[in-house]
Amino acid sequence: MPLSVPAGVLAAVLFLAGCAQPVVPIERLGRKAAEGVRPHVRPLAAPPSRLPPPPVVDRVPTRDRVVFLTYDATDHPTALGELRLPVSRFTPGLRPLAGTPYATQHAALCARRTRLLRPPRGAYDPTTLRAAADCGVTAVVLWRATLTPTGLTYPRGPHHLRRGDIVRLLPDAPTDRLLDALHRRNLTAARLEDYL
């Protein structure tokens, strides 16, 4: 026995079915884009360097009884003229590069055109080393001792100068203390560029 559907209900169903518009896949994609759904795409990495990273040094292996005096251009020691010793000047830049993208570091380092690099504030990361290698840097120079206004400080290792140490000079550094330390250890200053 056939089911009887009230005419009003049947008319409503047919009316609503006629109003429904089909949703095609392209419309669905458009709606998803409007909702902010984005594909998970990783940013392009920097090309791998074909060159080995430059060594990071705070001292130079040598049998000569020498140390290497350095200063940053922004930290020009006031008593530097009194030394009359070879001193290497670095221009590390004002802002640290570590943590910035490869392209930023590469542009900054290649613009310097230098063989020896002193990273700003001594901060570097693997990207710095890769960019440095690609820009022709042969060594990243740090320091093992610092001559501050209160004297020599050593963040690690023996608390005296050793042959091959790289010493960073700060403004208002007491050069008499440095000269005393060199004489006590039977050391002299040499040009860093001649050893690296």
Side-chain angles (χ1 to χ4, degrees), residues 6 8 17 26 43 62 76 81 117 122 151 160 165 169-170 180-181 183:
I26 194 71
T62 179
H76 191 288
L117 167 70
H160 59 267
D165 280 348
L169 307 176
L170 293 183
D180 287 346
H183 290 304

Side-chain angles (χ1 to χ4, degrees), residues 40-162:
H40 296 285
V41 178
R42 295 172 68 182
L44 294 175
S49 176
R50 294 182 182 162
L51 302 169
V56 179
V57 297
D58 61 3
R59 61 190 313 262
V60 178
T62 179
R63 292 184 178 189
D64 298 340
R65 299 201 61 82
V66 296
V67 296
F68 307 99
L69 307 179
T70 66
Y71 74 96
D72 294 343
T74 54
D75 294 341
H76 191 288
T78 54
L80 197 57
E82 301 171 13
L83 284 179
R84 294 188 182 146
L85 297 172
V87 180
S88 299
R89 175 182 179 267
F90 287 92
T91 307
L94 297 176
R95 64 183 196 111
L97 295 172
T100 61
Y102 172 85
T104 302
Q105 297 197 39
H106 185 267
L109 296 180
C110 286
R112 294 181 190 180
R113 298 182 182 184
T114 180
R115 195 172 59 80
L116 301 179
L117 167 70
R118 168 94 60 129
R121 300 180 193 155
Y124 67 94
D125 60 16
T127 303
T128 309
L129 298 181
R130 189 171 69 209
D134 292 343
C135 292
V137 171
T138 57
V140 174
V141 178
L142 301 180
W143 54 91
R144 198 188 79 78
T146 302
L147 184 64
T148 70
T150 59
L152 284 164
T153 62
Y154 305 87
R156 63 190 171 283
H159 284 226
H160 59 267
L161 290 176
R162 299 181 296 173

